[in-house]
Amino acid sequence: MADVKSLANPLFLREEDLRQGIELLFFAYRDFTAEPDAMLAQYGFGRAHHRVIYFVGRNPSMTVSELLDILKITKQSLSRVLSQLVDQGFVTQRPGPTDRRQRLLELTPQGTELERRLTESQRALFARAYRAAGAEAVDGFRKVLLGLINETDRARFGEPGAALKTESGRR
Amino acid sequence: MADVKSLANPLFLREEDLRQGIELLFFAYRDFTAEPDAMLAQYGFGRAHHRVIYFVGRNPSMTVSELLDILKITKQSLSRVLSQLVDQGFVTQRPGPTDRRQRLLELTPQGTELERRLTESQRALFARAYRAAGAEAVDGFRKVLLGLINETDRARFGEPGAALKTESGRR
DNA sequence: AAAATATGTCAACATGGCTGACGTAAAATC
DNA sequence: GATTTTACGTCAGCCATGTTGACATATTTT
């Protein structure tokens, strides 16, 4: 339905509109990373550690190459960060059951706890922004951000139209 | 400043919904910066140079401290990047007319041209995403991103942000 | 048996954050 | 008019995190 509308009612995009989008993304990302960065600094970790912890927590038993695909960095860059996390007991590695060359990654309880604390701050930020904007806006947010993401990774996200439910709608 | 809208239409936010937002932002930002980064590399510049060029182009005659406020980095970090841009003829500095301690920043024609090329790629990305999502979605995108941005900088964006109020100012 | 794959490691380098300390010119204040 | 504050700049060094290139090892695939 919304798809039809965009065809029926093509947008006139001013330079100004596009720059606004660029800036919104810049400022939002800057503020989105500020709090976790400060937390991580207390552990001597950086943003890169957060990304690893986040995606391993999200995707238990993932392989190193899956992680590399997500982060789009070199294995040497990942290696440094990952081995720090393993050495300090936040992440474990175990050989893959069918392919024993793989090292499947998991969070330790300590890693899970750190992940929770880091992400909690970002979840709270999103919860506030989502609630302030409303369900419809959230849906639009998703559509636009999906359009910014390359097609391959877009597939990581499910049905593009899956809408948020409101309290009333849910119960 | 009670949040009337969230009371009228409360969202039920699942952990999953919030994580999806986090990931959308991560992937979108990653892909949003990829193309300009590649261009900049040809000049021996990095993302930091882009940010300076972008905001100076956007805000001609801005002062160094205004730029620092936007970027939220230290003057020493900025200094390195900025002096490279000045030395290589992309940015000029001139004393402020009333306050001669200030150094007002401008793009040179060369700087303007580089800015145009860099931002063009991002504008195209946004144009595509905006058109695919439709006007209504763009509006929602704006609302949500504004809600992620701290209150002070939210004021940089026009009226749509006026509707967004948070329980308590963060940061 | 050979080749490709998954992963790791070492070494070297660049970017771009950071802190601390110090300097200078101009504006604002007492 | 002297002092303080402000708006910069700069030097030096540290750290996190990206890069490339070369090489190693175990395992799977051909």
Side-chain angles (χ1 to χ4, degrees):
Chain A
M1 24 181 152
D3 303 324
V4 176
K5 171 182 293 183
S6 73
L7 292 177
N9 183 20
L11 289 181
F12 175 71
L13 295 174
R14 294 170 305 153
E15 157 103 15
E16 184 59 27
D17 297 327
L18 299 172
R19 287 203 179 257
Q20 191 191 43
I22 289 173
E23 289 165 32
L24 282 167
L25 194 54
F26 167 75
F27 284 109
Y29 196 80
R30 186 200 62 179
D31 290 350
F32 166 71
T33 50
E35 261 199 81
D37 280 1
M39 268 186 228
L40 287 154
Q42 300 173 339
Y43 290 77
F45 290 156
R47 198 177 294 178
H49 298 85
H50 187 188
R51 296 199 274 250
V52 170
I53 287 181
Y54 180 86
F55 284 108
V56 171
R58 173 70 153 172
N59 229 314
S61 296
M62 78 190 307
T63 67
V64 170
S65 28
E66 283 164 1
L67 188 50
L68 285 174
D69 281 347
I70 287 179
L71 300 179
K72 293 234 170 92
I73 59 174
T74 59
K75 65 175 177 172
Q76 294 90 333
S77 295
L78 174 59
S79 166
R80 190 166 31 201
V81 169
L82 185 54
S83 42
Q84 286 167 4
L85 289 171
V86 169
D87 290 350
Q88 296 184 40
F90 292 89
V91 172
T92 54
Q93 297 174 316
R94 64 182 167 84
T98 70
D99 186 338
R100 283 176 1 226
R101 292 170 305 179
Q102 297 175 336
R103 310 213 180 163
L104 306 190
L105 306 172
E106 321 271 354
L107 294 185
T108 63
Q110 194 191 353
T112 304
E113 171 59 14
L114 178 54
E115 194 281 331
R116 196 192 54 73
R117 286 191 45 222
L118 290 169
T119 307
E120 187 171 77
S121 126
Q122 295 186 323
R123 277 198 308 261
L125 186 62
F126 264 95
R128 201 154 50 70
Y130 275 9
R131 283 190 214 281
E136 213 174 293
V138 171
D139 215 54
F141 162 80
R142 286 199 184 118
K143 278 193 192 135
V144 171
L145 284 223
L146 274 172
L148 294 174
I149 297 172
N150 76 73
E151 292 223 13
T152 314
D153 285 319
R154 205 176 293 166
R156 296 179 187 282
F157 299 90
E159 328 296 286
L164 269 188
K165 312 207 159 145
T166 62
E167 284 284 13
S168 54
R170 181 182 164 87
R171 181 159 332 156
Chain B
M1 308 287 187
D3 202 327
V4 178
K5 179 179 294 179
S6 73
L7 293 176
N9 184 20
L11 289 182
F12 177 72
L13 295 174
R14 292 170 306 155
E15 156 104 17
E16 184 59 26
D17 297 328
L18 299 172
R19 287 202 180 255
Q20 191 190 43
I22 289 172
E23 289 166 32
L24 281 167
L25 194 54
F26 167 75
F27 284 109
Y29 197 79
R30 186 199 62 180
D31 290 350
F32 165 72
T33 50
E35 260 198 83
D37 280 1
M39 270 187 226
L40 288 155
Q42 299 172 340
Y43 291 77
F45 290 155
R47 197 177 295 177
H49 298 85
H50 186 190
R51 296 200 274 249
V52 170
I53 287 180
Y54 179 86
F55 284 108
V56 171
R58 174 70 153 171
N59 228 314
S61 296
M62 80 189 307
T63 66
V64 171
S65 27
E66 283 164 2
L67 188 50
L68 286 174
D69 281 347
I70 287 178
L71 300 178
K72 293 232 171 94
I73 60 175
T74 60
K75 65 174 177 175
Q76 293 91 332
S77 296
L78 173 59
S79 165
R80 192 167 30 203
V81 168
L82 184 54
S83 43
Q84 286 167 4
L85 289 171
V86 169
D87 290 350
Q88 297 185 39
F90 292 88
V91 172
T92 55
Q93 296 174 315
R94 64 182 166 85
T98 69
D99 186 337
R100 288 182 352 236
R101 292 170 304 178
Q102 296 176 337
R103 310 213 179 162
L104 306 190
L105 306 173
E106 321 272 354
L107 293 185
T108 63
Q110 195 190 353
T112 305
E113 171 58 14
L114 179 54
E115 193 282 330
R116 197 193 54 73
R117 287 191 44 223
L118 290 169
T119 308
E120 188 171 76
S121 126
Q122 295 185 325
R123 277 199 307 262
L125 187 62
F126 264 95
R128 203 156 47 71
Y130 274 9
R131 283 189 214 283
E136 211 174 295
V138 171
D139 215 55
F141 162 80
R142 288 201 185 113
K143 277 192 193 138
V144 171
L145 284 224
L146 276 171
L148 294 174
I149 297 171
N150 75 74
E151 292 221 17
T152 314
D153 285 319
R154 204 176 293 167
R156 297 180 186 282
F157 300 90
E159 285 315 292
L164 283 171
K165 292 278 154 97
T166 59
E167 308 118 40
S168 56
R170 68 196 167 84
R171 233 184 58 76

